[in-house]
Amino acid sequence: MVKKKINLKNKFLKYFPLILLYFSVLNEFDIDVSNNWLISFNLPFIIIFYWSLKDPDQIGNGLIFISGILNDVTLGYPIGISSFIYLTIIAFAAYLRNITLRPNIYKDSVIFLVAILFANSVNALILGFIFSIEINFFEIITNITFTYVLYFLFAKIFNYLKPVGV
């Protein structure tokens, strides 16, 4: 009976990042406080970067691509933009995973910052110049800042939630 509970827990933990990714994409999960200041962060970027870096088999690239399509449908963006951005973040994580001998949260966070700066810049360029969608750069800078700061918290949580033996 105990072994069955452990296996069930590990199965849930195995699919938890994917469930969380799809939940955050379908619910347009940005936390916004719209008084005089704005707090928002991009949870899909954190999930994709962390799991692509630490355990790339946990969430497959194809499933991340599909989550990008769903994000575009949810936000009303041209189809494929978010998928391209998500695959860009995967590329940064794969690069870091291949060159790193000793993983370190601080080195990871620097590459994550570069990845989200690049991804948001490309996203703003594509949406602004090609599709003429109005871009609020203050919201983008705020989003990047809070996404970067919250990466440390979510990395600790995800380290704790890693499945054992799956």
Side-chain angles (χ1 to χ4, degrees):
M1 186 70 169
V2 174
K3 188 174 183 180
K4 190 172 187 174
K5 284 184 182 180
I6 292 172
N7 285 337
L8 184 62
K9 178 184 173 189
N10 282 341
K11 290 272 187 200
F12 173 75
L13 291 176
K14 179 179 180 183
Y15 294 110
F16 177 73
L18 184 63
I19 293 167
L20 185 62
L21 175 64
Y22 279 98
F23 178 77
S24 64
V25 164
L26 290 174
N27 287 315
E28 192 181 336
F29 190 76
D30 281 346
I31 294 178
D32 295 321
V33 178
S34 58
N35 289 338
N36 293 333
W37 48 287
L38 174 76
I39 297 174
S40 73
F41 66 97
N42 199 326
L43 185 58
F45 283 6
I46 296 171
I47 295 168
I48 291 167
F49 185 82
Y50 178 84
W51 289 105
S52 295
L53 178 64
K54 300 298 182 183
D55 190 1
D57 296 330
Q58 193 76 12
I59 304 176
N61 294 348
L63 293 172
I64 293 173
F65 184 85
I66 292 169
S67 72
I69 299 291
L70 292 173
N71 189 47
D72 291 335
V73 170
T74 303
L75 295 175
Y77 288 162
I79 300 296
I81 301 295
S82 295
S83 296
F84 176 70
I85 299 303
Y86 291 171
L87 293 177
T88 303
I89 292 172
I90 291 171
F92 276 94
Y95 173 74
L96 179 62
R97 187 178 60 250
N98 288 331
I99 66 166
T100 302
L101 296 175
R102 294 184 189 150
N104 182 341
I105 186 72
Y106 301 108
K107 288 188 273 186
D108 298 351
S109 68
V110 169
I111 298 298
F112 178 66
L113 180 61
V114 171
I116 61 175
L117 285 170
F118 182 78
N120 280 313
S121 298
V122 169
N123 193 27
L125 284 172
I126 291 172
L127 293 176
F129 292 123
I130 296 176
F131 294 105
S132 299
I133 295 174
E134 189 174 327
I135 305 295
N136 185 341
F137 290 103
F138 177 73
E139 288 179 7
I140 291 174
I141 291 170
T142 304
N143 188 291
I144 289 170
T145 303
F146 283 108
T147 301
Y148 176 71
V149 169
L150 289 174
Y151 176 76
F152 294 99
L153 173 68
F154 281 102
K156 292 280 187 191
I157 292 170
F158 293 156
N159 279 335
Y160 178 74
L161 292 176
K162 276 188 187 176
V164 179
V166 176

